[in-house]
PDB file of all heavy atoms in Angstrom:
ATOM      1  N   TYR D   1     111.689 135.718 -72.111  1.00  0.00           N
ATOM      2  CA  TYR D   1     112.632 136.745 -71.650  1.00  0.00           C
ATOM      3  C   TYR D   1     114.062 136.216 -71.744  1.00  0.00           C
ATOM      4  O   TYR D   1     114.614 135.673 -70.789  1.00  0.00           O
ATOM      5  CB  TYR D   1     112.292 137.150 -70.220  1.00  0.00           C
ATOM      6  CG  TYR D   1     113.150 138.270 -69.671  1.00  0.00           C
ATOM      7  CD1 TYR D   1     113.189 139.509 -70.301  1.00  0.00           C
ATOM      8  CD2 TYR D   1     113.909 138.083 -68.524  1.00  0.00           C
ATOM      9  CE1 TYR D   1     113.962 140.542 -69.805  1.00  0.00           C
ATOM     10  CE2 TYR D   1     114.685 139.119 -68.011  1.00  0.00           C
ATOM     11  CZ  TYR D   1     114.709 140.335 -68.648  1.00  0.00           C
ATOM     12  OH  TYR D   1     115.492 141.364 -68.153  1.00  0.00           O
ATOM     13  N   LYS D   2     114.649 136.360 -72.930  1.00  0.00           N
ATOM     14  CA  LYS D   2     116.034 135.935 -73.137  1.00  0.00           C
ATOM     15  C   LYS D   2     116.578 136.621 -74.392  1.00  0.00           C
ATOM     16  O   LYS D   2     115.841 137.253 -75.156  1.00  0.00           O
ATOM     17  CB  LYS D   2     116.132 134.413 -73.286  1.00  0.00           C
ATOM     18  CG  LYS D   2     115.423 133.857 -74.509  1.00  0.00           C
ATOM     19  CD  LYS D   2     115.626 132.343 -74.614  1.00  0.00           C
ATOM     20  CE  LYS D   2     114.998 131.791 -75.882  1.00  0.00           C
ATOM     21  NZ  LYS D   2     115.212 130.333 -76.025  1.00  0.00           N
ATOM     22  N   ASP D   3     117.872 136.506 -74.580  1.00  0.00           N
ATOM     23  CA  ASP D   3     118.544 136.971 -75.797  1.00  0.00           C
ATOM     24  C   ASP D   3     118.175 138.419 -76.134  1.00  0.00           C
ATOM     25  O   ASP D   3     118.278 139.291 -75.302  1.00  0.00           O
ATOM     26  CB  ASP D   3     118.228 136.019 -76.962  1.00  0.00           C
ATOM     27  CG  ASP D   3     118.628 134.582 -76.670  1.00  0.00           C
ATOM     28  OD1 ASP D   3     119.561 134.394 -75.865  1.00  0.00           O
ATOM     29  OD2 ASP D   3     118.010 133.653 -77.212  1.00  0.00           O
ATOM     30  N   LYS D   4     117.717 138.661 -77.378  1.00  0.00           N
ATOM     31  CA  LYS D   4     117.496 140.014 -77.872  1.00  0.00           C
ATOM     32  C   LYS D   4     116.385 140.752 -77.127  1.00  0.00           C
ATOM     33  O   LYS D   4     116.462 141.967 -76.918  1.00  0.00           O
ATOM     34  CB  LYS D   4     117.172 139.988 -79.367  1.00  0.00           C
ATOM     35  CG  LYS D   4     118.391 139.902 -80.267  1.00  0.00           C
ATOM     36  CD  LYS D   4     119.161 141.227 -80.242  1.00  0.00           C
ATOM     37  CE  LYS D   4     120.339 141.209 -81.196  1.00  0.00           C
ATOM     38  NZ  LYS D   4     121.097 142.471 -81.147  1.00  0.00           N
ATOM     39  N   ILE D   5     115.341 140.033 -76.735  1.00  0.00           N
ATOM     40  CA  ILE D   5     114.236 140.702 -76.037  1.00  0.00           C
ATOM     41  C   ILE D   5     114.678 141.143 -74.639  1.00  0.00           C
ATOM     42  O   ILE D   5     114.305 142.211 -74.153  1.00  0.00           O
ATOM     43  CB  ILE D   5     112.976 139.807 -75.967  1.00  0.00           C
ATOM     44  CG1 ILE D   5     111.731 140.666 -75.704  1.00  0.00           C
ATOM     45  CG2 ILE D   5     113.101 138.716 -74.923  1.00  0.00           C
ATOM     46  CD1 ILE D   5     111.281 141.484 -76.857  1.00  0.00           C
ATOM     47  N   ARG D   6     115.521 140.321 -74.010  1.00  0.00           N
ATOM     48  CA  ARG D   6     116.076 140.693 -72.708  1.00  0.00           C
ATOM     49  C   ARG D   6     116.984 141.921 -72.854  1.00  0.00           C
ATOM     50  O   ARG D   6     116.952 142.841 -72.037  1.00  0.00           O
ATOM     51  CB  ARG D   6     116.865 139.514 -72.123  1.00  0.00           C
ATOM     52  CG  ARG D   6     117.401 139.751 -70.714  1.00  0.00           C
ATOM     53  CD  ARG D   6     118.138 138.509 -70.220  1.00  0.00           C
ATOM     54  NE  ARG D   6     118.566 138.664 -68.851  1.00  0.00           N
ATOM     55  CZ  ARG D   6     119.672 139.299 -68.475  1.00  0.00           C
ATOM     56  NH1 ARG D   6     120.475 139.841 -69.395  1.00  0.00           N
ATOM     57  NH2 ARG D   6     119.994 139.398 -67.199  1.00  0.00           N
ATOM     58  N   GLU D   7     117.757 141.933 -73.924  1.00  0.00           N
ATOM     59  CA  GLU D   7     118.651 143.057 -74.194  1.00  0.00           C
ATOM     60  C   GLU D   7     117.847 144.337 -74.444  1.00  0.00           C
ATOM     61  O   GLU D   7     118.204 145.410 -73.953  1.00  0.00           O
ATOM     62  CB  GLU D   7     119.512 142.725 -75.419  1.00  0.00           C
ATOM     63  CG  GLU D   7     120.614 143.728 -75.702  1.00  0.00           C
ATOM     64  CD  GLU D   7     121.457 143.321 -76.900  1.00  0.00           C
ATOM     65  OE1 GLU D   7     121.298 142.191 -77.403  1.00  0.00           O
ATOM     66  OE2 GLU D   7     122.264 144.154 -77.346  1.00  0.00           O
ATOM     67  N   LEU D   8     116.771 144.208 -75.209  1.00  0.00           N
ATOM     68  CA  LEU D   8     115.913 145.357 -75.484  1.00  0.00           C
ATOM     69  C   LEU D   8     115.359 145.970 -74.199  1.00  0.00           C
ATOM     70  O   LEU D   8     115.452 147.183 -73.980  1.00  0.00           O
ATOM     71  CB  LEU D   8     114.750 144.919 -76.383  1.00  0.00           C
ATOM     72  CG  LEU D   8     113.594 145.905 -76.546  1.00  0.00           C
ATOM     73  CD1 LEU D   8     114.038 147.157 -77.280  1.00  0.00           C
ATOM     74  CD2 LEU D   8     112.406 145.253 -77.257  1.00  0.00           C
ATOM     75  N   ILE D   9     114.792 145.132 -73.338  1.00  0.00           N
ATOM     76  CA  ILE D   9     114.195 145.628 -72.090  1.00  0.00           C
ATOM     77  C   ILE D   9     115.258 146.213 -71.173  1.00  0.00           C
ATOM     78  O   ILE D   9     115.048 147.247 -70.529  1.00  0.00           O
ATOM     79  CB  ILE D   9     113.403 144.499 -71.389  1.00  0.00           C
ATOM     80  CG1 ILE D   9     112.186 144.117 -72.253  1.00  0.00           C
ATOM     81  CG2 ILE D   9     112.950 144.916 -69.996  1.00  0.00           C
ATOM     82  CD1 ILE D   9     111.435 142.897 -71.778  1.00  0.00           C
ATOM     83  N   HIS D  10     116.420 145.574 -71.132  1.00  0.00           N
ATOM     84  CA  HIS D  10     117.514 146.075 -70.288  1.00  0.00           C
ATOM     85  C   HIS D  10     117.983 147.443 -70.774  1.00  0.00           C
ATOM     86  O   HIS D  10     118.159 148.366 -69.974  1.00  0.00           O
ATOM     87  CB  HIS D  10     118.678 145.082 -70.309  1.00  0.00           C
ATOM     88  CG  HIS D  10     119.834 145.507 -69.449  1.00  0.00           C
ATOM     89  ND1 HIS D  10     119.901 145.227 -68.101  1.00  0.00           N
ATOM     90  CD2 HIS D  10     120.949 146.226 -69.741  1.00  0.00           C
ATOM     91  CE1 HIS D  10     121.010 145.740 -67.610  1.00  0.00           C
ATOM     92  NE2 HIS D  10     121.664 146.347 -68.582  1.00  0.00           N
ATOM     93  N   PHE D  11     118.196 147.592 -72.065  1.00  0.00           N
ATOM     94  CA  PHE D  11     118.616 148.885 -72.624  1.00  0.00           C
ATOM     95  C   PHE D  11     117.602 149.970 -72.308  1.00  0.00           C
ATOM     96  O   PHE D  11     117.946 151.090 -71.950  1.00  0.00           O
ATOM     97  CB  PHE D  11     118.792 148.787 -74.141  1.00  0.00           C
ATOM     98  CG  PHE D  11     120.112 148.203 -74.576  1.00  0.00           C
ATOM     99  CD1 PHE D  11     120.349 147.936 -75.917  1.00  0.00           C
ATOM    100  CD2 PHE D  11     121.112 147.919 -73.668  1.00  0.00           C
ATOM    101  CE1 PHE D  11     121.558 147.404 -76.340  1.00  0.00           C
ATOM    102  CE2 PHE D  11     122.326 147.387 -74.070  1.00  0.00           C
ATOM    103  CZ  PHE D  11     122.546 147.128 -75.401  1.00  0.00           C
ATOM    104  N   TYR D  12     116.333 149.610 -72.471  1.00  0.00           N
ATOM    105  CA  TYR D  12     115.264 150.590 -72.258  1.00  0.00           C
ATOM    106  C   TYR D  12     115.159 151.021 -70.790  1.00  0.00           C
ATOM    107  O   TYR D  12     115.165 152.214 -70.477  1.00  0.00           O
ATOM    108  CB  TYR D  12     113.937 149.997 -72.734  1.00  0.00           C
ATOM    109  CG  TYR D  12     112.751 150.891 -72.472  1.00  0.00           C
ATOM    110  CD1 TYR D  12     112.717 152.197 -72.962  1.00  0.00           C
ATOM    111  CD2 TYR D  12     111.655 150.445 -71.737  1.00  0.00           C
ATOM    112  CE1 TYR D  12     111.636 153.025 -72.728  1.00  0.00           C
ATOM    113  CE2 TYR D  12     110.573 151.258 -71.506  1.00  0.00           C
ATOM    114  CZ  TYR D  12     110.557 152.554 -71.998  1.00  0.00           C
ATOM    115  OH  TYR D  12     109.489 153.372 -71.758  1.00  0.00           O
ATOM    116  N   LYS D  13     115.095 150.055 -69.886  1.00  0.00           N
ATOM    117  CA  LYS D  13     114.863 150.370 -68.473  1.00  0.00           C
ATOM    118  C   LYS D  13     116.088 150.923 -67.764  1.00  0.00           C
ATOM    119  O   LYS D  13     115.986 151.869 -66.979  1.00  0.00           O
ATOM    120  CB  LYS D  13     114.386 149.110 -67.724  1.00  0.00           C
ATOM    121  CG  LYS D  13     112.969 148.716 -68.004  1.00  0.00           C
ATOM    122  CD  LYS D  13     112.601 147.406 -67.326  1.00  0.00           C
ATOM    123  CE  LYS D  13     112.483 147.515 -65.840  1.00  0.00           C
ATOM    124  NZ  LYS D  13     111.938 146.283 -65.233  1.00  0.00           N
ATOM    125  N   PHE D  14     117.237 150.313 -68.008  1.00  0.00           N
ATOM    126  CA  PHE D  14     118.402 150.608 -67.179  1.00  0.00           C
ATOM    127  C   PHE D  14     119.458 151.476 -67.857  1.00  0.00           C
ATOM    128  O   PHE D  14     120.300 152.062 -67.185  1.00  0.00           O
ATOM    129  CB  PHE D  14     119.031 149.297 -66.697  1.00  0.00           C
ATOM    130  CG  PHE D  14     118.059 148.420 -65.951  1.00  0.00           C
ATOM    131  CD1 PHE D  14     117.655 147.201 -66.470  1.00  0.00           C
ATOM    132  CD2 PHE D  14     117.521 148.831 -64.736  1.00  0.00           C
ATOM    133  CE1 PHE D  14     116.735 146.400 -65.800  1.00  0.00           C
ATOM    134  CE2 PHE D  14     116.604 148.035 -64.061  1.00  0.00           C
ATOM    135  CZ  PHE D  14     116.208 146.826 -64.589  1.00  0.00           C
ATOM    136  N   GLN D  15     119.417 151.552 -69.187  1.00  0.00           N
ATOM    137  CA  GLN D  15     120.328 152.458 -69.884  1.00  0.00           C
ATOM    138  C   GLN D  15     119.596 153.673 -70.455  1.00  0.00           C
ATOM    139  O   GLN D  15     120.164 154.450 -71.209  1.00  0.00           O
ATOM    140  CB  GLN D  15     121.088 151.705 -70.976  1.00  0.00           C
ATOM    141  CG  GLN D  15     121.994 150.616 -70.405  1.00  0.00           C
ATOM    142  CD  GLN D  15     122.943 150.061 -71.450  1.00  0.00           C
ATOM    143  OE1 GLN D  15     123.255 150.695 -72.457  1.00  0.00           O
ATOM    144  NE2 GLN D  15     123.415 148.842 -71.216  1.00  0.00           N
ATOM    145  N   LYS D  16     118.312 153.781 -70.109  1.00  0.00           N
ATOM    146  CA  LYS D  16     117.501 154.966 -70.421  1.00  0.00           C
ATOM    147  C   LYS D  16     117.433 155.270 -71.916  1.00  0.00           C
ATOM    148  O   LYS D  16     117.444 156.428 -72.317  1.00  0.00           O
ATOM    149  CB  LYS D  16     118.007 156.174 -69.638  1.00  0.00           C
ATOM    150  CG  LYS D  16     117.989 155.970 -68.126  1.00  0.00           C
ATOM    151  CD  LYS D  16     118.458 157.193 -67.368  1.00  0.00           C
ATOM    152  CE  LYS D  16     118.449 156.936 -65.871  1.00  0.00           C
ATOM    153  NZ  LYS D  16     118.904 158.101 -65.091  1.00  0.00           N
ATOM    154  N   LYS D  17     117.348 154.215 -72.718  1.00  0.00           N
ATOM    155  CA  LYS D  17     117.161 154.406 -74.156  1.00  0.00           C
ATOM    156  C   LYS D  17     115.655 154.581 -74.396  1.00  0.00           C
ATOM    157  O   LYS D  17     114.955 153.685 -74.875  1.00  0.00           O
ATOM    158  CB  LYS D  17     117.688 153.206 -74.944  1.00  0.00           C
ATOM    159  CG  LYS D  17     119.104 152.779 -74.585  1.00  0.00           C
ATOM    160  CD  LYS D  17     120.140 153.797 -75.028  1.00  0.00           C
ATOM    161  CE  LYS D  17     121.565 153.275 -74.814  1.00  0.00           C
ATOM    162  NZ  LYS D  17     122.594 154.257 -75.161  1.00  0.00           N
ATOM    163  N   VAL D  18     115.152 155.767 -74.057  1.00  0.00           N
ATOM    164  CA  VAL D  18     113.707 155.982 -74.016  1.00  0.00           C
ATOM    165  C   VAL D  18     113.042 155.864 -75.385  1.00  0.00           C
ATOM    166  O   VAL D  18     111.845 155.576 -75.477  1.00  0.00           O
ATOM    167  CB  VAL D  18     113.366 157.344 -73.369  1.00  0.00           C
ATOM    168  CG1 VAL D  18     113.755 157.355 -71.908  1.00  0.00           C
ATOM    169  CG2 VAL D  18     114.041 158.491 -74.102  1.00  0.00           C
ATOM    170  N   TYR D  19     113.801 156.073 -76.455  1.00  0.00           N
ATOM    171  CA  TYR D  19     113.232 155.957 -77.791  1.00  0.00           C
ATOM    172  C   TYR D  19     112.772 154.533 -78.086  1.00  0.00           C
ATOM    173  O   TYR D  19     111.953 154.300 -78.985  1.00  0.00           O
ATOM    174  CB  TYR D  19     114.234 156.418 -78.853  1.00  0.00           C
ATOM    175  CG  TYR D  19     115.552 155.679 -78.853  1.00  0.00           C
ATOM    176  CD1 TYR D  19     115.701 154.494 -79.564  1.00  0.00           C
ATOM    177  CD2 TYR D  19     116.646 156.156 -78.135  1.00  0.00           C
ATOM    178  CE1 TYR D  19     116.900 153.803 -79.557  1.00  0.00           C
ATOM    179  CE2 TYR D  19     117.850 155.472 -78.120  1.00  0.00           C
ATOM    180  CZ  TYR D  19     117.978 154.299 -78.834  1.00  0.00           C
ATOM    181  OH  TYR D  19     119.171 153.614 -78.824  1.00  0.00           O
ATOM    182  N   LEU D  20     113.270 153.551 -77.307  1.00  0.00           N
ATOM    183  CA  LEU D  20     112.873 152.165 -77.506  1.00  0.00           C
ATOM    184  C   LEU D  20     111.443 151.891 -77.027  1.00  0.00           C
ATOM    185  O   LEU D  20     110.912 150.804 -77.251  1.00  0.00           O
ATOM    186  CB  LEU D  20     113.849 151.220 -76.808  1.00  0.00           C
ATOM    187  CG  LEU D  20     115.253 151.163 -77.424  1.00  0.00           C
ATOM    188  CD1 LEU D  20     116.189 150.310 -76.578  1.00  0.00           C
ATOM    189  CD2 LEU D  20     115.214 150.643 -78.857  1.00  0.00           C
ATOM    190  N   SER D  21     110.835 152.880 -76.376  1.00  0.00           N
ATOM    191  CA  SER D  21     109.430 152.733 -75.972  1.00  0.00           C
ATOM    192  C   SER D  21     108.549 152.468 -77.191  1.00  0.00           C
ATOM    193  O   SER D  21     107.548 151.748 -77.109  1.00  0.00           O
ATOM    194  CB  SER D  21     108.945 153.978 -75.229  1.00  0.00           C
ATOM    195  OG  SER D  21     109.021 155.125 -76.052  1.00  0.00           O
ATOM    196  N   LYS D  22     108.923 153.039 -78.348  1.00  0.00           N
ATOM    197  CA  LYS D  22     108.161 152.831 -79.585  1.00  0.00           C
ATOM    198  C   LYS D  22     108.269 151.376 -80.056  1.00  0.00           C
ATOM    199  O   LYS D  22     107.286 150.802 -80.534  1.00  0.00           O
ATOM    200  CB  LYS D  22     108.669 153.765 -80.684  1.00  0.00           C
ATOM    201  CG  LYS D  22     108.435 155.245 -80.423  1.00  0.00           C
ATOM    202  CD  LYS D  22     109.008 156.076 -81.552  1.00  0.00           C
ATOM    203  CE  LYS D  22     108.863 157.569 -81.276  1.00  0.00           C
ATOM    204  NZ  LYS D  22     107.449 158.001 -81.340  1.00  0.00           N
ATOM    205  N   VAL D  23     109.444 150.791 -79.911  1.00  0.00           N
ATOM    206  CA  VAL D  23     109.650 149.393 -80.306  1.00  0.00           C
ATOM    207  C   VAL D  23     108.821 148.469 -79.423  1.00  0.00           C
ATOM    208  O   VAL D  23     108.147 147.552 -79.905  1.00  0.00           O
ATOM    209  CB  VAL D  23     111.149 149.018 -80.215  1.00  0.00           C
ATOM    210  CG1 VAL D  23     111.369 147.551 -80.579  1.00  0.00           C
ATOM    211  CG2 VAL D  23     111.989 149.917 -81.113  1.00  0.00           C
ATOM    212  N   ILE D  24     108.866 148.723 -78.117  1.00  0.00           N
ATOM    213  CA  ILE D  24     108.127 147.890 -77.163  1.00  0.00           C
ATOM    214  C   ILE D  24     106.622 148.046 -77.361  1.00  0.00           C
ATOM    215  O   ILE D  24     105.867 147.068 -77.299  1.00  0.00           O
ATOM    216  CB  ILE D  24     108.550 148.243 -75.722  1.00  0.00           C
ATOM    217  CG1 ILE D  24     110.016 147.841 -75.515  1.00  0.00           C
ATOM    218  CG2 ILE D  24     107.652 147.555 -74.696  1.00  0.00           C
ATOM    219  CD1 ILE D  24     110.620 148.311 -74.207  1.00  0.00           C
ATOM    220  N   ALA D  25     106.174 149.273 -77.625  1.00  0.00           N
ATOM    221  CA  ALA D  25     104.752 149.519 -77.869  1.00  0.00           C
ATOM    222  C   ALA D  25     104.268 148.752 -79.104  1.00  0.00           C
ATOM    223  O   ALA D  25     103.166 148.193 -79.109  1.00  0.00           O
ATOM    224  CB  ALA D  25     104.502 151.014 -78.036  1.00  0.00           C
ATOM    225  N   LYS D  26     105.103 148.709 -80.143  1.00  0.00           N
ATOM    226  CA  LYS D  26     104.718 147.981 -81.366  1.00  0.00           C
ATOM    227  C   LYS D  26     104.611 146.481 -81.107  1.00  0.00           C
ATOM    228  O   LYS D  26     103.706 145.812 -81.632  1.00  0.00           O
ATOM    229  CB  LYS D  26     105.751 148.245 -82.471  1.00  0.00           C
ATOM    230  CG  LYS D  26     105.435 147.571 -83.805  1.00  0.00           C
ATOM    231  CD  LYS D  26     104.103 148.020 -84.361  1.00  0.00           C
ATOM    232  CE  LYS D  26     103.894 147.582 -85.816  1.00  0.00           C
ATOM    233  NZ  LYS D  26     103.907 146.139 -85.999  1.00  0.00           N
ATOM    234  N   ILE D  27     105.502 145.935 -80.286  1.00  0.00           N
ATOM    235  CA  ILE D  27     105.425 144.512 -79.916  1.00  0.00           C
ATOM    236  C   ILE D  27     104.100 144.233 -79.220  1.00  0.00           C
ATOM    237  O   ILE D  27     103.395 143.274 -79.542  1.00  0.00           O
ATOM    238  CB  ILE D  27     106.608 144.119 -79.005  1.00  0.00           C
ATOM    239  CG1 ILE D  27     107.925 144.147 -79.784  1.00  0.00           C
ATOM    240  CG2 ILE D  27     106.380 142.733 -78.390  1.00  0.00           C
ATOM    241  CD1 ILE D  27     109.159 144.002 -78.911  1.00  0.00           C
ATOM    242  N   LEU D  28     103.756 145.089 -78.259  1.00  0.00           N
ATOM    243  CA  LEU D  28     102.515 144.903 -77.512  1.00  0.00           C
ATOM    244  C   LEU D  28     101.288 145.095 -78.401  1.00  0.00           C
ATOM    245  O   LEU D  28     100.292 144.378 -78.275  1.00  0.00           O
ATOM    246  CB  LEU D  28     102.473 145.862 -76.323  1.00  0.00           C
ATOM    247  CG  LEU D  28     103.391 145.485 -75.157  1.00  0.00           C
ATOM    248  CD1 LEU D  28     103.557 146.652 -74.200  1.00  0.00           C
ATOM    249  CD2 LEU D  28     102.853 144.260 -74.416  1.00  0.00           C
ATOM    250  N   TYR D  29     101.366 146.050 -79.302  1.00  0.00           N
ATOM    251  CA  TYR D  29     100.254 146.276 -80.237  1.00  0.00           C
ATOM    252  C   TYR D  29      99.987 145.013 -81.058  1.00  0.00           C
ATOM    253  O   TYR D  29      98.829 144.564 -81.176  1.00  0.00           O
ATOM    254  CB  TYR D  29     100.590 147.450 -81.154  1.00  0.00           C
ATOM    255  CG  TYR D  29      99.606 147.613 -82.296  1.00  0.00           C
ATOM    256  CD1 TYR D  29      98.372 148.212 -82.093  1.00  0.00           C
ATOM    257  CD2 TYR D  29      99.931 147.145 -83.576  1.00  0.00           C
ATOM    258  CE1 TYR D  29      97.463 148.342 -83.143  1.00  0.00           C
ATOM    259  CE2 TYR D  29      99.025 147.273 -84.619  1.00  0.00           C
ATOM    260  CZ  TYR D  29      97.801 147.875 -84.404  1.00  0.00           C
ATOM    261  OH  TYR D  29      96.912 148.000 -85.436  1.00  0.00           O
ATOM    262  N   ASP D  30     101.028 144.451 -81.632  1.00  0.00           N
ATOM    263  CA  ASP D  30     100.867 143.241 -82.444  1.00  0.00           C
ATOM    264  C   ASP D  30     100.269 142.102 -81.623  1.00  0.00           C
ATOM    265  O   ASP D  30      99.408 141.354 -82.105  1.00  0.00           O
ATOM    266  CB  ASP D  30     102.217 142.806 -83.024  1.00  0.00           C
ATOM    267  CG  ASP D  30     102.733 143.761 -84.090  1.00  0.00           C
ATOM    268  OD1 ASP D  30     101.936 144.555 -84.614  1.00  0.00           O
ATOM    269  OD2 ASP D  30     103.951 143.730 -84.377  1.00  0.00           O
ATOM    270  N   LEU D  31     100.721 141.973 -80.385  1.00  0.00           N
ATOM    271  CA  LEU D  31     100.234 140.912 -79.499  1.00  0.00           C
ATOM    272  C   LEU D  31      98.760 141.113 -79.155  1.00  0.00           C
ATOM    273  O   LEU D  31      97.958 140.169 -79.226  1.00  0.00           O
ATOM    274  CB  LEU D  31     101.082 140.889 -78.219  1.00  0.00           C
ATOM    275  CG  LEU D  31     100.669 139.897 -77.128  1.00  0.00           C
ATOM    276  CD1 LEU D  31     100.801 138.455 -77.624  1.00  0.00           C
ATOM    277  CD2 LEU D  31     101.511 140.104 -75.864  1.00  0.00           C
ATOM    278  N   ILE D  32      98.395 142.321 -78.775  1.00  0.00           N
ATOM    279  CA  ILE D  32      97.017 142.606 -78.361  1.00  0.00           C
ATOM    280  C   ILE D  32      96.047 142.428 -79.522  1.00  0.00           C
ATOM    281  O   ILE D  32      94.980 141.814 -79.373  1.00  0.00           O
ATOM    282  CB  ILE D  32      96.917 144.032 -77.769  1.00  0.00           C
ATOM    283  CG1 ILE D  32      97.690 144.109 -76.451  1.00  0.00           C
ATOM    284  CG2 ILE D  32      95.464 144.432 -77.551  1.00  0.00           C
ATOM    285  CD1 ILE D  32      97.950 145.524 -75.957  1.00  0.00           C
ATOM    286  N   VAL D  33      96.402 142.945 -80.682  1.00  0.00           N
ATOM    287  CA  VAL D  33      95.522 142.816 -81.853  1.00  0.00           C
ATOM    288  C   VAL D  33      95.393 141.354 -82.282  1.00  0.00           C
ATOM    289  O   VAL D  33      94.331 140.916 -82.736  1.00  0.00           O
ATOM    290  CB  VAL D  33      96.044 143.697 -83.014  1.00  0.00           C
ATOM    291  CG1 VAL D  33      95.293 143.401 -84.301  1.00  0.00           C
ATOM    292  CG2 VAL D  33      95.905 145.171 -82.651  1.00  0.00           C
ATOM    293  N   GLU D  34      96.460 140.589 -82.116  1.00  0.00           N
ATOM    294  CA  GLU D  34      96.414 139.163 -82.444  1.00  0.00           C
ATOM    295  C   GLU D  34      95.437 138.427 -81.535  1.00  0.00           C
ATOM    296  O   GLU D  34      94.665 137.565 -81.993  1.00  0.00           O
ATOM    297  CB  GLU D  34      97.814 138.557 -82.310  1.00  0.00           C
ATOM    298  CG  GLU D  34      97.895 137.054 -82.502  1.00  0.00           C
ATOM    299  CD  GLU D  34      97.561 136.610 -83.920  1.00  0.00           C
ATOM    300  OE1 GLU D  34      97.930 137.304 -84.885  1.00  0.00           O
ATOM    301  OE2 GLU D  34      96.893 135.553 -84.062  1.00  0.00           O
TER     302      GLU D  34
END
């Protein structure tokens, strides 16, 4: 949790950039399938 990933989560949660849910879902998908 630092740098760009911290920025991504902050934008999504606190600046309501809801379209970023797709980006976060893809990260989790790659992790789970791995």
Side-chain angles (χ1 to χ4, degrees):
Y1 184 59
K2 64 177 184 178
D3 303 333
K4 278 289 184 181
I5 200 73
R6 185 179 184 278
E7 188 178 351
L8 168 66
I9 294 172
H10 181 86
F11 279 174
Y12 176 56
K13 286 175 71 172
F14 304 114
Q15 296 191 23
K16 302 182 181 180
K17 309 291 187 183
V18 294
Y19 58 86
L20 291 174
S21 61
K22 294 179 183 291
V23 178
I24 294 172
K26 182 59 168 61
I27 291 170
L28 286 165
Y29 171 79
D30 290 343
L31 176 64
I32 293 166
V33 170
E34 175 66 37

